[in-house]
């Protein structure tokens, strides 16, 4: 039996090294935490959000008030684009009841004007959009888009509603910047 | 002795790296905060121009609707802004605005409302504000937009 067995006595140096190691680990953890917090901080995109919410509402609002330049009958006032859209949706089966001076019916005139306006504004500004019109809860009657993306790029996605008197139905007009949700 | 010196060297290297990193991060944070402030100021200017009482469509002195520009008031404001440039320059800073009529197509160039510039520009933000343009002479509503450029 070997009575003489060398015992490993912990020295003070080893303890100091361990404390040093713990301090280094704590410092590195703190640095990592700081880096992660800085990287994970969300970048605010005020301009993009502002553009998305303001553009769509103002665009549709301005469209519906604009004079359509349809001039259906001599001596009669020129309907607004909003009135033309209501006529188009009401009489969608026959392409609209109002016949413009160019012999186009309200649906065709509205469709062509909207297409031109979108092309001269949002498309020209390189803003991806999706414009669509439907009766509340029903299929889409009109759609124009240049958005290859189908994800909305910020802002509220709520349709502009237009009542169809004397019925209790509404027309929903969507202009989604970046694309409408499916 | 050698070990202690090595530990000190490593400690100071880590300390220097930490200080450099902190300085870099804080400079990035400061510049992004100043960019945010500029963007907020630009939005404020764009919204102010868009809703200027000097331009709003009105009937019997009552504002009829927002996001509508009266063409006659617009023409009058162009002259007023020339006359009272210091007042408007203080209000709108380094920026410019012009009105485009899109529908019905007029074939006319955009009308400049104002343009306040400075010699050195570091960045520009453009805003497009679609609106109804009302012409009281013909009682017609046109589709157009205000292009507002804010510079830093």
């Amino acid at each position: 039996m070997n009575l003489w067995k060398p015992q490993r006595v912990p020295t003070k140096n080893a303890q100091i090294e361990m404390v040093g190691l713990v301090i280094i680990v704590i410092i590195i953890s703190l640095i990592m935490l700081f880096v992660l917090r800085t990287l994970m901080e969300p970048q605010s995109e005020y301009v993009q959000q502002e553009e998305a919410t303001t553009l769509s509402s103002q665009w549709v609002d301005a469209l519906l008030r604009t004079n359509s330049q349809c001039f259906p009958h001599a001596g009669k006032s020129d309907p607004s684009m909003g009135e033309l859209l209501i006529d188009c949706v009401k009489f969608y089966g026959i392409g609209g009841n109002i016949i413009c001076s160019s012999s186009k019916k309200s649906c065709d005139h509205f469709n062509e004007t909207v297409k031109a306006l979108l092309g001269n504004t949002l498309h020209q500004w390189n803003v991806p959009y999706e414009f669509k019109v439907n009766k509340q809860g029903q299929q889409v009657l009109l759609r124009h888009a240049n958005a290859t993306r189908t994800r909305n790029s910020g802002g509220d996605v709520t349709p502009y509603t237009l009542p169809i008197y004397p019925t209790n139905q509404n027309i929903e007009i969507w202009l989604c910047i970046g694309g409408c949700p499916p | 002795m050698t070990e202690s010196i090595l530990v000190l060297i490593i400690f100071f290297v880590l300390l220097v790296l930490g200080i450099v990193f902190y300085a870099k991060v804080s400079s990035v944070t400061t510049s992004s905060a100043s960019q945010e402030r500029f963007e907020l100021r630009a939005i404020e200017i764009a919204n102010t121009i868009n809703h200027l009482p000097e331009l709003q469509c009105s009937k019997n002195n009552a504002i009829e609707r927002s996001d509508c520009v009266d063409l006659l008031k617009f023409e009058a404001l162009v002259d007023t802004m020339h006359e009272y440039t210091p007042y408007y320059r203080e209000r709108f800073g380094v920026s410019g605005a012009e009105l485009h009529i899109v529908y019905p197509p007029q074939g006319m160039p955009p009308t400049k409302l104002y343009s306040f510039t400075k010699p050195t520009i570091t960045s520009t933000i453009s805003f497009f504000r679609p609106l109804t343009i009302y012409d009281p002479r013909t009682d017609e509503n046109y589709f157009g937009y205000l292009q507002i450029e804010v510079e830093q």
Side-chain angles (χ1 to χ4, degrees):
Chain A
M1 205 167 111
N2 191 5
L3 290 172
W4 188 83
K5 198 176 173 188
Q7 291 281 311
R8 208 175 158 218
V9 183
T11 58
K12 205 176 179 187
N13 259 354
Q15 280 177 340
I16 293 169
E17 270 177 27
M18 274 179 71
V19 171
L21 207 71
V22 167
I23 289 171
I24 288 173
V25 167
I26 289 170
I27 289 172
I28 291 173
S29 311
L30 284 174
I31 291 172
M32 294 287 280
L33 206 74
F34 185 67
V35 171
L36 278 176
R37 213 192 71 175
T38 314
L39 291 177
M40 299 289 275
E41 210 166 78
Q43 294 285 311
S44 60
E45 290 165 332
Y46 291 104
V47 175
Q48 204 184 337
Q49 284 169 11
E50 168 75 9
E51 280 303 287
T53 45
T54 314
L55 257 187
S56 59
S57 64
Q58 281 196 208
W59 199 95
V60 175
D61 200 46
L63 168 79
L64 297 177
R65 284 176 183 159
T66 302
N67 278 63
S68 64
Q69 311 293 320
C70 167
F71 304 112
H73 304 291
K76 275 212 166 184
S77 64
D78 188 31
S80 67
M81 289 294 282
E83 289 165 338
L84 212 63
L85 176 63
I86 290 171
D87 179 79
C88 168
V89 174
K90 257 179 164 175
F91 303 97
Y92 189 72
I94 54 165
N97 196 35
I98 296 174
I99 300 167
C100 301
S101 57
S102 60
S103 320
K104 279 177 196 153
K105 288 190 170 177
S106 53
C107 287
D108 283 341
H109 188 87
F110 182 85
N111 202 359
E112 282 173 25
T113 309
V114 167
K115 195 179 170 188
L117 284 176
L118 286 166
N120 286 324
T121 54
L122 299 177
H123 189 74
Q124 211 178 65
W125 307 333
N126 292 319
V127 175
Y129 65 84
E130 185 177 354
F131 176 89
K132 59 184 187 180
V133 175
N134 61 280
K135 259 191 198 176
Q136 206 162 23
Q138 291 182 28
Q139 65 175 38
V140 175
L141 305 174
L142 175 72
R143 184 180 176 274
H144 291 289
N146 77 344
T148 45
R149 289 176 284 165
T150 49
R151 208 162 50 83
N152 183 266
S153 64
D156 292 333
V157 189
T158 44
Y160 193 107
T161 52
L162 206 61
I164 316 172
Y165 293 116
T167 67
N168 56 359
Q169 283 184 308
N170 286 317
I171 301 170
E172 287 181 342
I173 305 151
W174 302 75
L175 179 61
C176 317
I177 304 301
C180 294
Chain B
M1 181 66 180
T2 327
E3 268 181 10
S4 302
I5 291 169
L6 266 173
V7 167
L8 276 174
I9 288 170
I10 290 170
F11 175 75
F12 280 113
V13 165
L14 279 175
L15 194 73
V16 168
L17 280 176
I19 291 168
V20 168
F21 178 76
Y22 180 75
K24 194 134 191 159
V25 166
S26 64
S27 84
V28 167
T29 314
T30 312
S31 75
S32 78
S34 102
Q35 180 65 20
E36 255 179 47
R37 268 200 304 277
F38 168 57
E39 287 178 2
L40 281 173
R41 172 82 182 125
I43 290 167
E44 192 187 317
I45 290 170
N47 287 342
T48 309
I49 295 165
N50 195 26
H51 297 104
L52 266 180
E54 290 97 317
L55 290 174
Q56 297 286 297
C57 302
S58 60
K59 216 166 216 175
N60 297 327
N61 287 329
I63 289 177
E64 257 196 321
R65 54 195 188 228
S66 59
D67 306 326
C68 176
V69 164
D70 188 312
L71 210 52
L72 284 181
K73 287 184 182 178
F74 183 87
E75 286 163 13
L77 186 62
V78 173
D79 297 333
T80 311
M81 286 186 98
H82 270 296
E83 205 175 329
Y84 298 98
T85 303
Y87 168 74
Y88 284 105
R89 199 188 167 92
E90 197 188 319
R91 228 176 138 187
F92 300 136
V94 185
S95 60
E98 51 186 29
L99 185 72
H100 298 246
I101 298 177
V102 181
Y103 187 81
Q106 314 256 315
M108 273 164 58
T111 318
K112 192 171 276 180
L113 177 63
Y114 74 92
S115 176
F116 302 140
T117 52
K118 66 174 186 178
T120 49
I121 291 155
T122 50
S123 63
T124 307
I125 299 181
S126 277
F127 294 94
F128 298 99
R129 291 280 181 268
L131 35 82
T132 310
I133 300 160
Y134 175 64
D135 189 348
R137 290 164 292 203
T138 56
D139 196 29
E140 276 194 47
N141 289 310
Y142 308 139
F143 183 98
Y145 63 90
L146 264 176
Q147 184 175 356
I148 301 151
E149 287 195 339
V150 184
E151 288 154 355
Q152 195 181 26

